[in-house]
Amino acid sequence: MSSFLSTLVGSKEEEEKEEVEYNIICQKHKLLLQTLTKGNGWRVQHLYNYKGFWLNPNTVKNNLLLHTYFKSLPTDIVLAAFMKSGTTWLKALMFSTLNRHRYNFSDHHLHNHGPQSTFPFLDCESYPITDFTNIPISPRLFATHYSYTLLPACIKSGKIVYVCRDPKDVLISKWHFMSKLRSKDLPPLSLDVAFELFCQGESEYGPFWEHILSYWRASLESPEKILFLKYEEMKKQPEVVVRKLAAFMGKPFAEEEEEKGVVGDIVKLCSFENLSNLEVNNKGVEKFGSLVEVEKRDFFRKGEIGDWKNYLNEEMKERIDRITDDKFKGSGLSLNATV
Ligand code: A3P
């Protein structure tokens, strides 16, 4: 047989093997859903408790696929966050910091492309068709909302940037966002119900506190592998955070760049005021897999610390703060103090 022919036969066999493997995972997923505890969804009707975290049926399936198909490179960097904690902002910051030599700040890629499109979101990709071998730039960047415990070992061996945010602001941000995406077949989700579910840990990718702790503990064990950031710190000292980020990603700013004010240029480019006013971030939708479409403008709401004060009463505030204090007791982590 000619080598050309054997390659073709080989790839056909490979394809068939892959299809069988994919079908086995789909079957496993179907059976798995029957065994998992069901909870209330914010966007869809039901969430499933998978290994301690509440996921919608598709993100359970994609977690199985991610574990089977994702091939990491040692240079990969993954941005991880609980939903509504600053993913969009950090995507813009990481992308523009790493690619600062490729673009001019007066005519930048981010002027015409939304932050979501700058690098792939692992939780919604079409595995195994998407294999990321087409990404030409190193390090490759990826984003995820999965907890640390749900990541494949190959991702854990690379670098991770994690961002967290005051739970009260996360709750309000998430309630607004999910209410927009919520299936029209379901009754609206009131803030009171969302609050109760959030406190019980029941929301997509939750419990919120366990999510944070999963990365916090890992960052204490391997600080060189996990950069742990807070949204509030980023708001207060964006330049300090951008310098940390650049050094962590292996591209610290040179003296000459500091003198030219490149750090300030990046902060300005990625600021809420700038990004939220760009036409590209106000028109059209961002697709996540085949099922979820998000209006691009919905990634930018207020971008402030403390908007929860306009929604939560004193009793609600105290309840969340108490849960946060209890959960984080002895961990060395505090979020309430940042507000
Ligand atoms: P609010 O709803 O409180 O305004 P994520 O990107 O993880 O989905 O988080 C969304 C939250 O980050 C929203 O918070 C959004 O407005 C805010 N945000 C988006 N871009 C931002 C930026 N460049 N600077 C600060 N906050 C930003």
Side-chain angles (χ1 to χ4, degrees):
M1 198 187 296
S2 77
S3 65
F4 172 68
L5 215 59
S6 67
T7 314
L8 278 185
V9 173
S11 64
K12 180 109 181 52
E13 272 172 13
E14 277 297 306
E15 245 174 52
E16 280 170 7
K17 223 176 94 191
E18 211 162 66
E19 201 177 325
V20 170
E21 189 176 41
Y22 181 79
N23 288 335
I24 291 173
I25 297 171
C26 292
Q27 195 57 29
K28 185 176 164 191
H29 172 244
K30 251 192 198 165
L31 295 173
L32 185 63
L33 290 188
Q34 291 169 17
T35 67
L36 299 178
T37 307
K38 256 192 205 176
N40 295 290
W42 293 34
R43 182 178 64 80
V44 295
Q45 191 174 14
H46 293 299
L47 297 179
Y48 292 81
N49 194 302
Y50 182 56
K51 301 188 177 175
F53 289 89
W54 293 102
L55 302 178
N56 73 48
N58 279 307
T59 43
V60 172
K61 182 170 166 189
N62 260 34
N63 197 263
L64 299 176
L65 295 169
L66 184 70
H67 277 258
T68 310
Y69 295 111
F70 185 71
K71 305 264 181 304
S72 70
L73 295 176
T75 46
D76 288 345
I77 303 175
V78 173
L79 160 62
F82 187 82
M83 283 182 74
K84 313 320 288 173
S85 299
T87 323
T88 311
W89 188 12
L90 255 174
K91 269 192 155 187
L93 287 172
M94 287 168 72
F95 177 83
S96 51
T97 300
L98 267 184
N99 293 293
R100 59 189 187 265
H101 304 299
R102 290 176 66 206
Y103 303 108
N104 187 327
F105 286 101
S106 58
D107 177 25
H108 199 275
H109 181 85
L110 281 174
H111 290 157
N112 304 307
H113 302 84
Q116 301 303 332
S117 68
T118 53
F119 50 94
F121 180 52
L122 290 172
D123 315 10
C124 287
E125 293 291 343
S126 309
Y127 307 105
I129 298 166
T130 315
D131 62 7
F132 308 115
T133 48
N134 61 342
I135 300 178
I137 300 165
S138 177
R140 303 184 306 178
L141 298 176
F142 298 102
T144 184
H145 288 324
Y146 288 127
S147 68
Y148 185 75
T149 48
L150 289 180
L151 296 180
C154 62
I155 292 184
K156 290 180 186 168
S157 65
K159 283 189 175 178
I160 297 174
V161 176
Y162 185 75
V163 62
C164 67
R165 187 182 186 190
D166 183 305
K168 301 184 287 301
D169 280 332
V170 170
L171 160 65
I172 297 306
S173 183
K174 189 168 184 174
W175 174 64
H176 278 288
F177 187 75
M178 292 308 232
S179 295
K180 291 203 168 134
L181 296 181
R182 188 163 164 91
S183 163
K184 299 286 169 275
D185 302 333
L186 299 172
L189 182 72
S190 72
L191 179 56
D192 282 347
V193 172
F195 173 81
E196 198 51 46
L197 290 172
F198 190 85
C199 288
Q200 287 167 18
E202 224 173 292
S203 73
E204 284 79 355
Y205 296 97
F208 168 85
W209 297 273
E210 278 72 8
H211 194 283
I212 296 188
L213 283 171
S214 73
Y215 284 95
W216 172 249
R217 290 189 182 118
S219 79
L220 293 181
E221 271 175 32
S222 314
E224 72 296 347
K225 286 226 174 105
I226 302 182
L227 178 66
F228 193 93
L229 301 173
K230 293 178 180 171
Y231 181 92
E232 293 75 11
E233 271 172 14
M234 291 169 59
K235 284 293 281 189
K236 286 175 190 162
Q237 296 191 298
E239 298 205 359
V240 172
V241 172
V242 168
R243 283 191 191 95
K244 258 195 216 172
L245 204 53
F248 179 76
M249 294 192 296
K251 303 268 190 279
F253 290 98
E255 228 174 276
E256 195 189 322
E257 290 182 296
E258 287 283 1
E259 278 160 18
K260 276 211 269 177
V262 175
V263 181
D265 287 340
I266 290 173
V267 168
K268 207 162 132 201
L269 172 73
C270 302
S271 69
F272 183 86
E273 292 65 32
N274 186 50
L275 291 181
S276 64
N277 282 313
L278 292 173
E279 195 183 337
V280 64
N281 292 323
N282 281 291
K283 266 183 28 193
V285 294
E286 199 68 60
K287 288 190 177 176
F288 293 90
S290 56
L291 296 175
V292 187
E293 280 190 0
V294 182
E295 296 274 347
K296 290 186 185 175
R297 69 168 72 91
D298 290 341
F299 287 104
F300 304 91
R301 196 181 61 93
K302 284 196 176 172
E304 291 170 2
I305 300 176
D307 185 43
W308 61 265
K309 289 177 191 148
N310 297 315
Y311 297 89
L312 304 182
N313 60 32
E314 195 53 28
E315 199 184 315
M316 291 162 127
K317 174 216 179 275
E318 277 175 15
R319 180 153 165 220
I320 295 203
D321 284 350
R322 212 169 32 249
I323 297 173
T324 307
D325 287 342
D326 284 352
K327 297 264 187 187
F328 290 175
K329 208 173 180 173
S331 70
L333 178 63
S334 156
L335 289 189
N336 294 338
T338 56
V339 201

